[in-house]
Amino acid sequence: MITRVYLAHPQVEDSGSQQFLIQSGQALTGTHYKYLMQEVDGQESFDREKEIEDLLATDRIIFQFPLYWYQAPAILKQWLDQVLDTDFNLDDLYQGLAGKELGLVVNMGVKAQAFQPTGREGRVISDLLSPYETLARHFQMTYLEPFLIHQYDRLTDEEQYRLLAEYVCYLETGFFSSFRQFQHYMIDKVQNLAQEDLTLEITDQIFLDLMLEQMDQQAEEVDSLYEMNDWRR
């Protein structure tokens, strides 16, 4: 599964939130990052053939951007217009994109409550992001639940750790909001860590084994609740 993040940010090097996400993704996953501003730097247009080649070689496509006046930065629109140019035959794209996943990582400078019917903006965020869902449906792609970040600069250290874990989970699995799925994902990550050639003191190894055992037991209890109540998985 190849995940590629398309970064649409005019000054990504100066963005604390974007640097946090990029460094997390690069350190903890095999995600590929494409800087759209750099791809078109000094040119009038993107290299369409190269962009399509990268696009078709990707299984999980993620557009990552800040929300500026209710929309993505203009560079993403330029990329979409030039890569999905209808003046060209798009048959290969229709065939190649079908079944792939399309996700969004959106950073906003307002509280989540602002995007509620009774909130300051009077609209829910899904209204603003609906063109991407329509795009996914047009190409018969699977549209993932958007990963939304509100007021990154005000997050506590604990909230940033949580953000890191959920973001990495989203990159590697396409989900993040299901407690049950997230729990199993974290267990797998810790188990993989435990299987690596780590040099641990005997007490640390015992602690890690006990923690994994407890996590597995808790996961089994949650699974049982899902089965007993026929909850959605």
Side-chain angles (χ1 to χ4, degrees):
M1 172 69 76
I2 296 177
T3 298
R4 195 180 310 274
V5 173
Y6 288 78
L7 285 166
H9 195 293
Q11 295 177 312
V12 67
E13 296 85 1
D14 299 326
S15 170
S17 60
Q18 293 300 322
Q19 288 302 314
F20 174 84
L21 296 174
I22 294 167
Q23 292 172 18
S24 300
Q26 290 178 334
L28 300 173
T29 75
T31 298
H32 302 268
Y33 283 84
K34 180 180 282 285
Y35 297 71
L36 295 186
M37 293 296 294
Q38 293 180 7
E39 294 291 325
V40 79
D41 186 34
Q43 307 175 62
E44 293 184 359
S45 60
F46 289 92
D47 183 339
R48 186 172 183 273
E49 290 188 6
K50 180 178 182 299
E51 294 300 324
I52 289 180
E53 181 181 354
D54 287 345
L55 197 61
L56 296 182
T58 306
D59 302 297
R60 181 175 297 120
I61 300 160
I62 296 178
F63 297 150
Q64 183 168 306
F65 57 86
L67 199 67
Y68 289 162
W69 286 112
Y70 314 112
Q71 56 190 322
I75 190 67
L76 182 55
K77 179 65 163 58
Q78 180 183 349
W79 183 87
L80 288 168
D81 286 344
Q82 293 177 359
V83 176
L84 307 182
D85 190 346
T86 54
D87 287 341
F88 294 88
N89 188 326
L90 299 182
D91 288 348
D92 289 344
L93 274 176
Y94 280 111
Q95 181 177 357
L97 291 177
K100 295 183 182 295
E101 298 176 354
L102 177 63
L104 305 174
V105 175
V106 185
N107 189 30
M108 291 166 282
V110 298
K111 296 180 179 180
Q113 297 92 314
F115 286 105
Q116 299 293 335
T118 58
R120 189 186 76 183
E121 306 300 339
R123 289 287 187 274
V124 295
I125 193 65
S126 59
D127 291 344
L128 305 183
L129 301 178
S130 61
Y132 301 102
E133 182 176 7
T134 304
L135 177 70
R137 183 178 294 110
H138 181 81
F139 284 100
Q140 297 184 338
M141 303 171 70
T142 298
Y143 182 66
L144 305 175
E145 178 184 355
F147 187 93
L148 307 177
I149 304 169
H150 297 274
Q151 297 184 310
Y152 169 82
D153 292 341
R154 298 187 181 184
L155 297 181
T156 64
D157 289 345
E158 182 179 348
E159 290 169 335
Q160 286 192 8
Y161 293 143
R162 177 75 184 188
L163 172 63
L164 182 152
E166 291 180 344
Y167 176 68
V168 169
C169 179
Y170 189 66
L171 294 180
E172 292 197 313
T173 68
F175 61 78
F176 66 96
S177 61
S178 166
F179 172 77
R180 181 170 180 267
Q181 291 176 315
F182 181 68
Q183 183 183 39
H184 281 282
Y185 169 78
M186 293 304 297
I187 291 174
D188 289 341
K189 293 292 283 187
V190 175
Q191 287 177 335
N192 290 336
L193 178 65
Q195 292 171 1
E196 294 178 359
D197 295 330
L198 298 177
T199 303
L200 296 176
E201 297 291 341
I202 185 63
T203 53
D204 293 332
Q205 184 63 56
I206 292 173
F207 176 78
L208 180 59
D209 292 341
L210 287 173
M211 184 179 67
L212 278 171
E213 183 179 346
Q214 185 177 23
M215 291 174 67
D216 281 331
Q217 185 177 10
Q218 290 175 344
E220 290 176 1
E221 291 173 357
V222 172
D223 288 343
S224 297
L225 287 173
Y226 271 80
E227 293 172 0
M228 289 172 57
N229 294 278
D230 194 27
W231 292 343
R232 289 195 312 170
R233 296 176 179 271

